[in-house]
Amino acid sequence: MKTLKGKVTAVLTFVTVIAFAVSWFLVSGIMKHHLVDSAFDQLKNNTAALSEVIRNEGYSSFQKNFSQWQEIFESRITIINAKGRVILDSATDAETLDNHLNRPEVRQAAKDGVGTTSRYSQTLGAQLVYVVRKVEGGEEDLFIRMAHPLNALQKALSDVRYRFLSYIIMAAFLILGFELWIVRRFFAPLEKIVTAAQAISEGNEARFPLMGDMELQRLSDSLQYMSSRLKGTLEELKIERTTLSTILSSLPVGVILLDKDNRFRFVNDEARNLLGMKVPVEEGQPIERFLTCGEIYPLLKEAKGGVEQAIKVEMPELGKGGRHLSLYGRQTESGPLLVITDLTEEFRQEQARRDFIADAGHEFQTPLTTIRLTAEYLQDELRGNEDMAGHLQSIIQQQERMTQLVDDLLLLSRLESQPPQEAEEELDLAFLVDTITGESLHHPLAEAIDIEKVLPEEALMIGQSRDLARAIRNIIDNAIKYVHEKFGGSGGGKVRIELFSRDSWWVIQVQDNGVGISEEAAATIFDRFSRGDSHRARGQWGSGGYGLGLAIARRIFMAHGGDITLIAANGGQTIFEITLPKENSKV
């Protein structure tokens, strides 16, 4: 019985039945006690009358009329002498009876004058009530006992009980019927409200009914207001969902929304095209049925763990030359969200750029070599001509700068396209930095600059010493050049190189008080052809670089699992921080 109406009906029925059952047992007990007490009172009166007869007329006269007294009182009469011996009994031969002096009713009568009890009589084989009265003042002290069987009383009691039970049953049915009518009348308005709520939940138009009771009317009004608001909210959600679905379907990127069991909730057409899903995707289908790309599933696992990350996936089976995709995953309230971007065109452009740089670099080598050889030949032929010698030396310098530029471009292209090919070795980073710092002391621009170094005794790691030396040297040389640009040959310039440990990293900080770097330049300082100064060259014409040094240095540090950041860039202080991992060290 799951309904509230059924529960209330069951409770009322149970309470009514229990109440009437208890009433029946209580009244039956009261009636039983009343009948027994009436029997005791009647026997007391009868024994009192017989005791007066014995006192007034004597025992002999009473004995002569004993049978008459038995017929008058319709009870068992027993006469017991003071010693407890039965001398007269209306139900059996007195000689056959035991001594009654120790009977409880006799002892009570000897003490109080009257004794009563109720017990089973072995002689008569029935339950009897006994009253014993002590008779004094006659020829001798006697006890007169009268006993009455309870059979007649029990029969009368049963008749009364059954009659009372029939009344109780009739009353119980009447009360239960009234209770059911009350329950039905009470729950009828609630059933109307429930019917209206069910209709609304099924999407049908319905209004909550008007109620006669104030409390139910307030409930109906509240539910009607809530229904109106819910309807409006659902319409707004439907519009927003349609709008959002339209927006997501129109995006130039793929969007996949999954539930917590990796089943599709939404997938737009762009995602289907990028991932090559030719079969229509229905909501609730598992993602494993459509995507066999193994890189996606670790991404989903990380997203469920709260880690937002992006991966690049190459899918060679899709189209000519395959596709290069970027997958970004994050966790939402409903499940993982995947955003897929097609990087194929960017990859092809980047590959084309690298190929162009490599091809152009190799093609530049021959004419540059020819230019240098020609300039050196003309120098030998025109020896003594000071004007022509200066021009030829300028040609050789620019050829060297062009050759260095080509070498840098080829190195940067190699670093970006593939990992270093040289074998790694165990190296002491502290020794490497100390060596480069020592070389910097002999830099032509470092004569008036105070170069300070703070290094630990040892800093072991695994890497390529030549590439690391080139990258660190570039950072220190830039610091010296910027300081010299600000202070020239006068004092005051400072460069500080510090190497220390931070958790599982080696950290190199290169700090200078040179001209600094503008905010605009700091944002792109590590990009190719990006310069920290605002003009193409520092100092005299043709002596500046081309903005590849920091880009190359960063690629070298990243190839070793580290990075470089600019943590301060103003006119008073510039700090570059290099981080390299210890985790590959053998110590």
Side-chain angles (χ1 to χ4, degrees):
M1 192 169 294
K2 298 181 180 180
T3 63
L4 180 60
K5 180 179 178 181
K7 291 179 180 179
V8 171
T9 302
V11 170
L12 291 177
T13 302
F14 177 76
V15 171
T16 302
V17 171
I18 292 297
F20 278 100
V22 171
S23 300
W24 184 74
F25 283 109
L26 289 176
V27 172
S28 298
I30 292 172
M31 292 174 62
K32 179 179 179 180
H33 287 294
H34 177 70
L35 291 175
V36 173
D37 291 341
S38 297
F40 278 124
D41 292 339
Q42 182 65 35
L43 293 178
K44 286 179 181 179
N45 293 333
N46 293 343
T47 57
L50 291 178
S51 64
E52 288 296 325
V53 171
I54 294 174
R55 288 193 192 98
N56 295 330
E57 299 180 1
Y59 174 72
S60 299
S61 175
F62 172 77
Q63 186 178 12
K64 293 178 181 180
N65 301 317
F66 183 67
S67 59
Q68 295 178 359
W69 292 114
Q70 180 185 5
E71 294 176 0
I72 292 173
F73 294 113
E74 296 181 349
S75 299
R76 179 184 178 185
I77 302 174
T78 305
I79 303 299
I80 307 167
N81 64 13
K83 295 180 180 181
R85 185 173 68 85
V86 178
I87 58 177
L88 189 64
D89 190 270
S90 64
T92 186
D93 185 6
E95 297 294 334
T96 61
L97 297 177
D98 298 333
N99 190 290
H100 283 34
L101 187 61
N102 290 324
R103 300 292 175 91
E105 66 272 16
V106 176
R107 292 201 308 268
Q108 185 181 3
K111 179 181 179 182
D112 300 331
V114 178
T116 61
T117 188
S118 174
R119 67 172 180 273
Y120 183 79
S121 173
Q122 297 292 338
T123 304
L124 300 180
Q127 188 77 16
L128 301 176
V129 292
Y130 296 91
V131 175
V132 179
R133 185 177 294 274
K134 186 177 182 181
V135 180
E136 297 175 335
E139 298 174 356
E140 62 175 329
D141 291 342
L142 300 174
F143 293 97
I144 181 170
R145 185 181 73 173
M146 294 188 69
H148 189 77
L150 290 177
N151 295 338
L153 297 177
Q154 290 176 348
K155 182 178 181 181
L157 179 61
S158 298
D159 293 339
V160 174
R161 281 180 175 178
Y162 288 132
R163 187 177 300 175
F164 182 68
L165 180 60
S166 62
Y167 294 152
I168 285 180
I169 293 175
M170 292 176 60
F173 275 110
L174 290 175
I175 292 175
L176 287 175
F178 179 73
E179 289 175 349
L180 292 175
W181 179 77
I182 290 294
V183 169
R184 185 173 298 176
R185 180 177 176 83
F186 178 77
F187 278 95
L190 293 179
E191 289 178 350
K192 293 180 181 179
I193 293 176
V194 171
T195 301
Q198 288 178 343
I200 292 174
S201 66
E202 294 172 357
N204 301 323
E205 291 290 338
R207 290 189 60 85
F208 289 94
L210 297 176
M211 298 295 166
D213 298 323
M214 181 178 65
E215 294 82 0
L216 293 177
Q217 184 58 44
R218 289 173 59 187
L219 174 62
S220 181
D221 293 340
S222 299
L223 291 175
Q224 184 63 46
Y225 175 71
M226 184 176 65
S227 174
S228 301
R229 292 196 61 184
L230 179 62
K231 182 179 179 181
T233 303
L234 290 176
E235 291 179 354
E236 292 178 1
L237 288 176
K238 184 178 180 180
I239 294 174
E240 291 180 359
R241 184 173 182 177
T242 302
T243 304
L244 181 61
S245 177
T246 303
I247 293 174
L248 293 178
S249 299
S250 304
L251 287 176
V253 296
V255 178
I256 297 177
L257 179 61
L258 306 174
D259 61 15
K260 296 180 181 180
D261 296 326
N262 289 343
R263 296 179 179 273
F264 285 106
R265 293 195 62 196
F266 176 83
V267 53
N268 63 356
D269 294 337
E270 185 67 18
R272 292 178 62 251
N273 293 333
L274 292 177
L275 297 176
M277 294 187 291
K278 300 179 180 180
V279 180
V281 179
E282 297 181 0
E283 185 176 352
Q285 292 180 319
I287 189 174
E288 294 84 0
R289 184 179 299 176
F290 297 89
L291 298 181
T292 57
C293 181
E295 293 87 344
I296 293 179
Y297 300 102
L299 178 65
L300 292 176
K301 184 177 180 181
E302 294 292 335
K304 288 183 178 180
V307 179
E308 299 181 11
Q309 64 172 345
I311 61 172
K312 292 183 179 180
V313 177
E314 183 177 358
M315 305 187 73
E317 70 275 7
L318 300 180
K320 184 177 181 180
R323 279 182 177 169
H324 295 267
L325 306 178
S326 172
L327 276 68
Y328 169 78
R330 66 166 298 174
Q331 181 69 9
T332 66
E333 291 294 332
S334 59
L337 173 68
L338 291 178
V339 179
I340 307 166
T341 306
D342 190 358
L343 301 179
T344 305
E345 189 61 31
E346 296 179 11
F347 177 83
R348 291 173 180 171
Q349 292 179 358
E350 182 68 17
Q351 188 64 38
R353 181 189 64 79
R354 293 172 185 170
D355 294 342
F356 171 76
I357 291 175
D359 295 341
H362 288 296
E363 292 296 329
F364 278 141
Q365 294 292 345
T366 301
L368 288 174
T369 302
T370 302
I371 291 173
R372 184 180 182 88
L373 291 175
T374 303
E376 290 176 349
Y377 171 77
L378 291 176
Q379 274 186 330
D380 293 337
E381 291 295 325
L382 300 175
R383 191 180 303 275
N385 189 336
E386 297 296 332
D387 292 336
M388 291 298 297
H391 294 305
L392 292 173
Q393 185 61 34
S394 177
I395 291 174
I396 292 174
Q397 291 177 351
Q398 296 306 313
Q399 183 272 337
E400 291 176 350
R401 294 184 70 241
M402 287 293 294
T403 300
Q404 184 63 40
L405 172 61
V406 171
D407 291 341
D408 290 345
L409 286 173
L410 292 175
L411 174 61
L412 182 59
S413 177
R414 177 178 63 83
L415 292 174
E416 290 179 345
S417 60
Q418 59 185 356
Q421 300 297 321
E422 298 180 8
E424 293 183 333
E425 59 182 352
E426 184 181 39
L427 59 91
D428 185 357
L429 190 61
F431 176 78
L432 185 65
V433 174
D434 184 54
T435 302
I436 297 172
T437 305
E439 295 174 356
S440 300
L441 295 175
H442 303 289
H443 195 286
L445 305 179
E447 294 181 359
I449 298 176
D450 181 15
I451 299 178
E452 179 186 0
K453 59 182 178 180
V454 180
L455 306 174
E457 293 183 0
E458 191 177 54
L460 299 181
M461 64 169 293
I462 301 297
Q464 298 174 355
S465 57
R466 189 179 67 177
D467 287 349
L468 286 175
R470 174 171 181 162
I472 296 171
R473 185 180 293 108
N474 180 274
I475 305 302
I476 296 176
D477 288 349
N478 281 346
I480 293 174
K481 292 176 184 178
Y482 275 94
V483 171
H484 178 78
E485 184 174 338
K486 180 178 181 180
F487 294 97
S490 61
K494 294 182 179 180
V495 175
R496 175 185 171 89
I497 299 102
E498 182 178 3
L499 170 61
F500 57 91
S501 174
R502 180 192 296 160
D503 298 329
S504 59
W505 301 89
W506 291 117
V507 180
I508 304 173
Q509 286 189 353
V510 180
Q511 176 180 342
D512 68 75
N513 61 346
V515 296
I517 302 173
S518 65
E519 294 183 1
E520 295 80 3
T524 58
I525 192 67
F526 296 107
D527 295 343
R528 306 183 201 89
F529 303 107
S530 176
R531 296 283 305 279
D533 49 354
S534 58
H535 49 281
R536 284 299 299 168
R538 287 170 283 169
Q540 62 180 353
W541 179 87
S543 63
Y546 290 93
L548 293 177
L550 289 179
I552 293 174
R554 187 177 192 184
R555 291 293 177 181
I556 292 174
F557 294 138
M558 292 177 67
H560 283 77
D563 203 354
I564 180 173
T565 55
L566 178 63
I567 61 176
N570 52 56
Q573 187 181 58
T574 300
I575 302 176
F576 284 92
E577 182 175 279
I578 304 165
T579 55
L580 293 168
K582 296 180 184 178
E583 56 191 24
N584 291 329
S585 64
K586 296 181 179 179
V587 296

